[in-house]
Amino acid sequence: MKKPFIYLIILCLCSCANKSVVLYDLTCENLVNPYGIATAKPRISWKINAQNNDVKQKGYRIIVASKPQLLNEDNADLWDSGIVEASESVLIKYAGKKLSSGDMAYWKVKIVTDDGTETGWSNAASFSVGLLEASDWKGSYIGFPKENGDPQCPLMRKQFDVAAKPVTALIHVNSLGYHEIYINGKRVGDEVLAPAVSQFDKRSLSKTYDITQYLVKGKNDLVVWLGRGWYQSGLPGVVYDGPLLKAQIVTTGKDGKKTVAAQTDNTWQASESGYTLTGDATWRPHKFGGERIDANICPSALYTTENDKRQWFPALVVNVPKHEVTPQTTEGNRTKTIYKAQNIKQLSDTVYLVDFGKCLTGQVEINFPQMTKNKVVTLIFSDNLNKDGKLADRYQKDYYISSGSGKKRETFKHKFNYHSFRYLEISGLESAPALDDMKAMLVGTDFRDASSFECSDPDMNAIHDMLKNTVQCLTLGGYMVDCNHIERLGYGGDGHASTVTAQTMFDLAPLYSNWLRAWEDCIRDDGGLPHTAPNPYPAGGGPYWCAFIVSAPWSVYRNYGDISVLEHYYPVMLQWLQYVDKYTVDGLLRRWPDNNYRNWYLGDWATPKGINQTLPETIDLVDNCVISECYTMLEKIARLLDKNDDAALFAERKKILNELLHSTFFNVDSAVYATGTQIDMVYPMLTGATPDSLTKDVENKLFTETANRFNGHLATGLVGVPVITEWTVNTGNVDFMYNMLKKREYPGYLYMLDNGATATWEHWNGERSRIHNCYNGIGSWFYQALGGIRLSDDAPGYRKIIIQPQIPAGVTWAKTTKETPYGTVSTSWRLNGKVFEMEVIIPIGSTAVVITHQAVNNLTVNGSPSNAQNVELPSGKYLMSYTIVSE
């Protein structure tokens, strides 16, 4: 049944006197101290902290300088904004002197509070501008000459002189494939699997690194280690059978003069590294293979003395077709969590099974016991064990060939590939590695955790934690994939379904900046979109997959307050809608054709057994509801962009489509839409296609069918999960969702957990992938319903927050936090019998509306009775309590 919402009355407990204000979390383009940003007109942000959040920003002053020593009020040479009267602290546009490619900038900020007091200056932050124009690049693309050996993972070397230690030195790297940088034997940075993904026939990405500390006066030795990654033969834009490199080092002297100290050309040298991809690693479905590491060839160090012992060949200059080269806009990949081996089991004389205790995507580092020379060790990875206890074959296999150097141990460590796994089978060892000698590293885009959730129901906590782990497993490389071990594709359907969850749990503005650019690069001239981006080859999906180009920018705007995303992608959205119109017949979208970049035409996907997702009636209903949702978003986007004629057109098209949806798919006699499945019943109500006069009847039919036909289970697939989630949150049907989540039998999340899951599956019954993106759309429910923290379209980026906890029977307390562009919002509530207490913290810069819908007794604020309802709250810390009145 629908659960009544809560009446709330809240009082700010904080004092406005003696404020101690700290400015923190300074970012540029949503990144912390980034090198090589993709614009010369960046946007900067900061957050404000004070005791009990009891201040307001009334103004700010920003200073920007070209050198750290100039970063003061008197000498800032790039920009001094002066005091600007404004309360905004998010994405403030730089308005100083013109910046150019390669420029460094240092900045800090102070604010004026509501009582007219100026704060102290923040700590300094910095950024550098990447190479923005094609003419900025001086070098050529180079690779390993394949007539001299294996070109897959070569070492590229250049020795160069530096006359004097520079003030700053930056290396700009544009690799087609992965890269790691070593200077004078030292690894530069700690990123792995760089850069992020891109559509190679349209775009490749550059990265910039500060290498000042690595250089010495005189001769320097630079080695760039390359790996193929997605730069695989036969894929769009790939022109060579190995990775390629374009790079240049730019130094800045004390006089401010910039010098290109080194650039890629035919004077570089190339050497085999001892790392290669396995023969089946073609980076197609089921063929991501692994790495073959020959310790006899692999360098133990990359110092000059060791480099000189290697065999080097002249680098090959390769002609690469013209394409966009743009700086990477998302964080790099890093090791985020390390898991120790939990158990090792000997299967035979030389075969061992290792359990790391949790599903993850990433790499391993293993110290093997002493071995004789040329011993071959095989490592096979899987996310699951079959019923016979053997690994489910995920085609993830690595090989290590020992050097027999006499050392007590030899070490295997991934470099340019990764796996999704929990279990590892090691064969070829005469004795087992110690548990402490094996570790698995969760690797992913280095975005920040932005949430926490815990409640009184351990089942809800377990589901939430499984979902959160899954999202982290699927976001390596600046995009979100379906699964990393089988397809490794950025499916729009999976992204569409999981975006609200992912952006609630994590700070993903930079990641979506990168991923959305890939979608723009993949659209065809006629407006057709693939089902994945990047789009290396055809993949299955349907309109919901393509509609990611509308829903994702809209979600980015709502979560992060960045209207430039809407401005940029609005024309792309319209281009795709023209394609939709081409296949609209008598007002309804019908099947469009398969082609060389896309196949299938789905409605829902990965539904439980017994639900036929292939029936034309349900496909047409779902897909046209998708278009109706797009019209809703586009109307709002158009109004924000002052395109009121467009907005009126979208409103009218939605009205006509909704009327057609209802008249075409609603059966008056049975009170069901289409096939009567949960998605068929809920989606028309969510889009507004169901007339108000029939909503209650349809809702009751949904409840009846769920109880009788589906035995109380959540009986839907990839598309249906987020649709039902959003509808239950919007309508307050918290018990309906909660009771479905509590089901332990198939299908359900607890069924997964009870069968050993630590990440969500591709199918409810566990077929294929055990680390997948099909069912993660439920994740936002924990924050929006139980936590009661919701976005408002009136002021995006959590500038205005809706507080509206929904309490199902069975949950007595919940603690929830959400990091926003302005700081942390949190709710902590507890229900003792019918007495409800809640603490709310609203970050400085935000306001909140506490929505109340139910009468209460004994409402007290700080011990005093009150009759107020629907409270408008400024930033601050609040406490309230009352007694709930039964209906």
Side-chain angles (χ1 to χ4, degrees), residues 208-251:
T208 299
Y209 304 86
D210 181 359
I211 58 171
T212 310
Q213 63 177 313
Y214 300 93
L215 297 185
V216 297
K217 182 179 178 180
K219 181 170 288 187
N220 290 267
D221 202 340
L222 166 66
V223 174
V224 182
W225 200 333
L226 299 179
R228 294 199 74 170
W230 276 104
Y231 200 73
Q232 297 285 336
S233 301
L235 298 184
V238 178
V239 298
Y240 193 63
D241 291 333
L244 301 175
L245 171 69
K246 181 184 283 189
Q248 63 197 54
I249 293 176
V250 180
T251 61

Side-chain angles (χ1 to χ4, degrees), residues 20 37 104 138 152 247 315 332 483 530 584 713 741 746 759 825 864 877:
S20 177
I37 61 173
M104 285 289 305
K138 307 304 180 185
Q152 292 190 80
C483 59
T584 298
H713 284 260
L741 294 180
Y746 169 88
V825 56
S864 300
K877 184 176 180 180

Side-chain angles (χ1 to χ4, degrees), residues 72-381:
N72 56 66
E73 298 182 28
D74 298 323
N75 298 299
D77 59 334
L78 293 179
W79 186 33
D80 185 341
S81 70
I83 297 296
V84 178
E85 293 186 10
S87 62
E88 187 56 77
S89 60
V90 175
L91 300 175
I92 305 301
K93 293 181 180 179
Y94 171 83
K97 292 182 180 179
K98 182 179 179 181
L99 300 175
S100 302
S101 295
D103 283 350
M104 285 289 305
Y106 305 85
W107 67 280
K108 57 186 177 181
V109 61
K110 65 165 53 177
I111 68 167
V112 180
T113 62
D114 47 337
D115 63 0
T117 302
E118 289 189 19
T119 67
W121 287 102
S122 69
N123 291 330
S126 65
F127 63 86
S128 79
V129 181
L131 301 187
L132 304 181
E133 306 294 337
S135 59
D136 295 328
W137 290 95
K138 307 304 180 185
S140 304
Y141 285 104
I142 59 172
F144 183 90
K146 53 190 175 183
E147 63 269 18
N148 297 124
D150 191 332
Q152 292 190 80
C153 300
L155 303 169
M156 311 301 294
R157 184 188 187 194
K158 177 67 177 179
Q159 293 178 288
F160 62 96
D161 290 321
V162 174
K165 188 70 183 291
V167 174
T168 61
L170 302 177
I171 184 170
H172 305 281
V173 179
N174 171 217
S175 63
L176 306 182
Y178 294 133
H179 68 262
E180 290 182 355
I181 304 167
Y182 298 80
I183 297 178
N184 299 322
K186 296 180 179 179
R187 170 83 185 275
V188 176
D190 59 356
E191 290 187 19
V192 298
L193 301 168
V197 298
S198 64
Q199 183 71 20
F200 281 126
D201 59 336
K202 295 292 183 67
R203 183 182 311 276
S204 62
L205 303 181
S206 66
K207 286 189 64 65
T208 299
Y209 304 86
D210 181 359
I211 58 171
T212 310
Q213 63 177 313
Y214 300 93
L215 297 185
V216 297
K217 182 179 178 180
K219 181 170 288 187
N220 290 267
D221 202 340
L222 166 66
V223 174
V224 182
W225 200 333
L226 299 179
R228 294 199 74 170
W230 276 104
Y231 200 73
Q232 297 285 336
S233 301
L235 298 184
V238 178
V239 298
Y240 193 63
D241 291 333
L244 301 175
L245 171 69
K246 181 184 283 189
Q248 63 197 54
I249 293 176
V250 180
T251 61
T252 303
K254 293 181 180 179
D255 58 359
K257 183 180 179 180
K258 295 179 180 179
T259 303
V260 178
Q263 64 188 49
T264 46
D265 54 28
N266 59 8
T267 65
W268 283 54
Q269 297 175 301
S271 175
E272 289 184 287
S273 68
Y275 274 74
T276 60
L277 298 180
T278 57
D280 57 347
T282 61
W283 288 50
R284 269 69 166 183
H286 299 281
K287 293 184 178 181
F288 290 96
E291 293 179 303
R292 181 181 181 275
I293 301 175
D294 188 339
N296 298 287
I297 305 173
C298 183
S300 59
L302 289 168
Y303 295 99
T304 297
T305 54
E306 295 298 318
N307 293 338
D308 288 343
K309 298 176 184 178
R310 305 188 67 81
Q311 183 178 21
W312 297 93
F313 303 95
L316 176 70
V317 174
V318 178
N319 182 36
V320 174
K322 184 178 180 180
H323 64 283
E324 293 288 329
V325 178
T326 53
Q328 180 171 310
T329 58
T330 186
E331 303 93 341
N333 296 311
R334 284 188 170 89
T335 296
K336 305 183 76 171
T337 306
I338 294 177
Y339 297 100
K340 293 185 177 180
Q342 300 298 303
N343 181 51
I344 185 168
K345 178 181 179 182
Q346 186 166 5
L347 301 180
S348 66
D349 289 345
T350 61
V351 181
Y352 303 89
L353 180 66
V354 181
D355 181 3
F356 288 99
K358 194 171 188 177
C359 284
L360 69 143
T361 293
Q363 303 175 327
V364 299
E365 181 176 340
I366 301 175
N367 294 318
F368 296 130
Q370 188 173 15
M371 292 185 287
T372 57
K373 187 177 180 64
N374 292 328
K375 187 77 172 179
V376 179
V377 180
T378 303
L379 301 93
I380 305 175
F381 296 79

Side-chain angles (χ1 to χ4, degrees), residues 514-724:
N514 183 72
W515 195 14
L516 281 168
R517 183 57 64 92
W519 281 92
E520 180 183 22
D521 287 342
C522 288
I523 196 167
R524 272 47 179 188
D525 291 342
D526 66 352
L529 274 172
H531 294 141
T532 70
N535 180 216
Y537 39 76
Y544 187 82
W545 280 245
C546 303
F548 182 82
I549 196 60
V550 179
S551 66
W554 176 242
S555 187
V556 169
Y557 167 74
R558 297 189 75 225
N559 277 278
Y560 307 112
D562 188 356
I563 198 169
S564 72
V565 176
L566 302 182
E567 293 168 341
H568 185 90
Y569 290 101
Y570 185 70
V572 186
M573 300 175 196
L574 297 187
Q575 189 179 0
W576 177 65
L577 273 188
Q578 291 176 351
Y579 188 85
V580 170
D581 289 344
K582 182 178 178 180
Y583 294 98
T584 298
V585 180
D586 296 328
L588 292 174
L589 174 63
R590 301 297 186 181
R591 197 195 198 286
W592 51 45
D594 293 344
N595 50 42
N596 62 0
Y597 61 85
R598 182 193 66 219
N599 50 46
W600 297 5
Y601 187 81
L602 299 175
D604 203 357
W605 169 246
T607 55
K609 290 182 178 179
I611 295 178
N612 189 348
Q613 65 197 23
T614 68
L615 293 175
E617 192 174 11
T618 186
I619 291 174
D620 284 343
L621 171 64
V622 168
D623 290 343
N624 281 279
C625 283
V626 170
I627 303 306
S628 177
E629 269 200 303
C630 287
Y631 288 154
T632 297
M633 290 181 279
L634 283 163
E635 179 189 356
K636 294 177 181 179
I637 293 169
R639 294 200 186 283
L640 287 166
L641 301 181
D642 293 325
K643 300 180 183 296
N644 293 323
D645 289 345
D646 285 5
L649 175 63
F650 290 131
E652 181 62 20
R653 293 185 71 169
K654 177 183 176 65
K655 179 177 179 293
I656 294 171
L657 177 56
N658 278 355
E659 291 173 352
L660 195 55
L661 276 167
H662 180 70
S663 63
T664 303
F665 297 102
F666 185 68
N667 186 313
V668 176
D669 295 333
S670 60
V672 302
Y673 284 95
T675 65
T677 58
Q678 289 176 340
I679 189 173
D680 287 357
M681 299 294 285
V682 170
Y683 219 164
M685 289 193 287
L686 180 65
T687 64
T690 306
D692 291 343
S693 61
L694 293 176
T695 297
K696 196 64 181 178
D697 292 340
V698 175
E699 189 177 90
N700 288 336
K701 188 69 173 182
L702 167 69
F703 297 153
T704 301
E705 289 292 289
T706 297
N708 297 334
R709 181 179 172 187
F710 306 123
N711 297 316
H713 284 260
L714 182 61
T716 191
L718 179 150
V719 180
V721 168
V723 166
I724 296 170

